[in-house]
Amino acid sequence: MAEYRAGFVSFVGRPNVGKSTLTNALVGEKVAITSSKPQTTRRAIRGIVHRDHGQLILVDTPGLHRPRTLLGERLNSLVQSTLGDVDVIAFCVPANEPIGPGDRFINEQLDQYPRAKKVAVVTKTDATSKSKIAEQLLAVSELREWAAIVPVSAPEGDQLEVLVDELLTLLPESSQPLYPAETTTDEDTSERIAEFIREAALEGVTDELPHSIAVVVDDMVEREDKDLLEIYANLYVERDSQKGIIIGKGGARLREVGATARAQIEGLLGRKVYLALHIKVAKDWQRDPKQLGRLGF
Ligand SMILES: Nc1nc2c(ncn2[C@@H]2O[C@H](COP(=O)(O)OP(=O)(O)OP(=O)(O)O)[C@@H](O)[C@H]2O)c(=O)[nH]1
Ligand SMILES: [Mg+2]
């Protein structure tokens, strides 16, 4: 019988390559928010994958990029410290974009973590042709000696189990699981709620605005007269002009964001919630150490 294995696997790569989407697909639940805008993930988010013969603790990370703000620098350091602690580093490259300087830079950084085994994951195989996938697999194989190279499509569910099996074989043997069977993440409920709100707010905004949004759950209160949880959250932007965009004409956009987020939160908690969302300006918070600290970075 195969030995039980358990350990830590970190997904790393440029922004927007599909690390969080893949994390969620493997875990089978939305533990990390995703969006079409780069630099969505801002924490190292653990997602647990349970199998009879082992347990993968996935650590989704913020996309590595050339930082333009203090937040960007902090996120890059967060990725670096995460990579120092994991058993396997899974470097994610999309099938539908040629390998560029950003990918090469990250690949070179991986040399700094000799203890970790290194796997390449070619994501988004549904978004390109078979011949392009073959070309990408070849290009990736030339970057370094990988323990495995696995092409996957998260939305199609293609090759996900192959990836899980490959990753499990690279983990250390363990006498027992590291997390209980029902655990999918160790993120706090209030953190997940804040992230659902941020994800809803990212929908349909462009340019610099996605980067300027931060959400903090301020308070959660049980209603005494009925089975309802009241959630009070603050959505921060960096400038007054951004406030108007988030709120929209007559408050239409904000209502939409609230409704989308509430549906996600109710799905997570399995109960009705009332969501009060307040928009506040935290001027240039991405560049301000004090405000970054207050927002949890
Ligand atoms: N077609 C296709 N699209 C994908 C796939 N995986 C992710 N995407 C899309 O790619 C975009 C980015 O996905 P994310 O999972 O947020 O990417 P990420 O690497 O976590 O991005 P950061 O958190 O910014 O580093 C989203 O619009 C996803 O829907 C895939 O396998 N196929
Ligand atoms: Mg992400």
Side-chain angles (χ1 to χ4, degrees):
M1 214 184 79
E3 288 296 333
Y4 190 88
R5 292 175 187 275
F8 292 80
V9 178
S10 187
F11 287 136
V12 65
R14 280 187 293 116
N16 221 31
V17 298
K19 301 176 294 296
S20 301
T21 305
L22 180 59
T23 302
N24 293 338
L26 294 173
V27 173
E29 186 182 310
K30 192 198 280 186
V31 295
I33 64 162
T34 66
S35 89
S36 59
K37 283 93 193 172
Q39 295 165 43
T40 299
T41 304
R42 290 179 181 161
R43 353 165 42 95
I45 295 172
R46 288 187 186 179
I48 326 296
V49 179
H50 305 268
R51 293 291 180 272
D52 289 341
H53 54 298
Q55 185 173 73
L56 294 173
I57 295 129
L58 302 177
V59 191
D60 181 23
T61 64
L64 273 173
H65 62 285
R66 195 187 296 275
R68 282 174 300 148
T69 62
L70 187 57
L71 173 68
E73 284 172 31
R74 296 222 170 142
L75 296 185
N76 283 358
S77 331
L78 171 68
V79 179
Q80 284 158 3
S81 67
T82 302
L83 296 184
D85 288 338
V86 297
D87 302 296
V88 179
I89 296 173
F91 176 46
C92 299
V93 184
N96 59 345
E97 291 169 30
I99 289 172
D103 301 300
R104 286 181 205 287
F105 177 75
I106 298 169
N107 178 55
E108 282 159 21
Q109 302 285 300
L110 301 188
D111 290 338
Q112 294 170 22
Y113 311 96
R115 191 185 75 83
K117 293 171 181 162
K118 288 157 198 91
V119 169
V121 180
V122 173
T123 59
K124 307 192 185 184
T125 54
D126 59 286
T128 189
S129 65
K130 282 221 163 71
S131 65
K132 285 273 187 253
I133 297 169
E135 271 173 39
Q136 191 70 321
L137 291 171
L138 185 65
V140 166
S141 72
E142 284 163 358
L143 290 175
R144 67 168 61 241
E145 195 81 37
W146 301 100
I149 305 176
V150 187
V152 298
S153 164
E156 311 260 302
D158 199 30
Q159 291 265 108
L160 296 184
E161 219 36 54
V162 173
L163 178 60
V164 168
D165 282 337
E166 285 285 0
L167 293 173
L168 277 174
T169 60
L170 298 172
L171 294 182
E173 286 179 11
S174 176
S175 56
Q176 56 190 15
L178 303 175
Y179 279 90
E182 64 282 2
T183 308
T184 53
T185 184
D186 60 1
E187 288 285 291
D188 284 356
T189 303
S190 67
E191 283 162 2
R192 295 181 76 184
I193 289 171
E195 285 289 83
F196 283 154
I197 297 167
R198 188 163 64 91
E199 181 177 63
L202 287 175
E203 198 61 47
V205 298
T206 53
D207 304 322
E208 284 307 297
L209 187 46
H211 307 301
S212 295
I213 298 172
V215 179
V216 176
V217 170
D218 198 33
D219 205 4
M220 298 206 266
V221 184
E222 285 289 350
R223 272 281 280 270
E224 285 178 5
D225 56 334
K226 51 180 150 180
D227 180 17
L228 187 73
L229 180 69
E230 296 181 339
I231 299 171
Y232 297 87
N234 292 325
L235 189 156
Y236 294 94
V237 290
E238 293 190 287
R239 284 181 290 282
D240 273 318
S241 58
Q242 297 176 325
K243 217 171 152 174
I245 303 174
I246 292 287
I247 293 168
K249 232 185 175 167
R253 256 209 97 246
L254 185 58
R255 274 196 299 279
E256 224 173 274
V257 168
T260 306
R262 199 181 61 237
Q264 295 272 336
I265 297 164
E266 290 183 342
L268 175 68
L269 302 179
R271 58 182 299 196
K272 287 268 171 227
V273 305
Y274 165 79
L275 177 61
L277 199 50
H278 295 285
I279 317 298
K280 294 192 172 171
V281 176
K283 204 170 172 322
D284 293 327
W285 65 262
Q286 287 185 80
R287 297 165 200 275
D288 178 350
K290 247 209 202 119
Q291 306 210 63
L292 280 173
R294 230 176 282 147
L295 292 168
F297 297 105

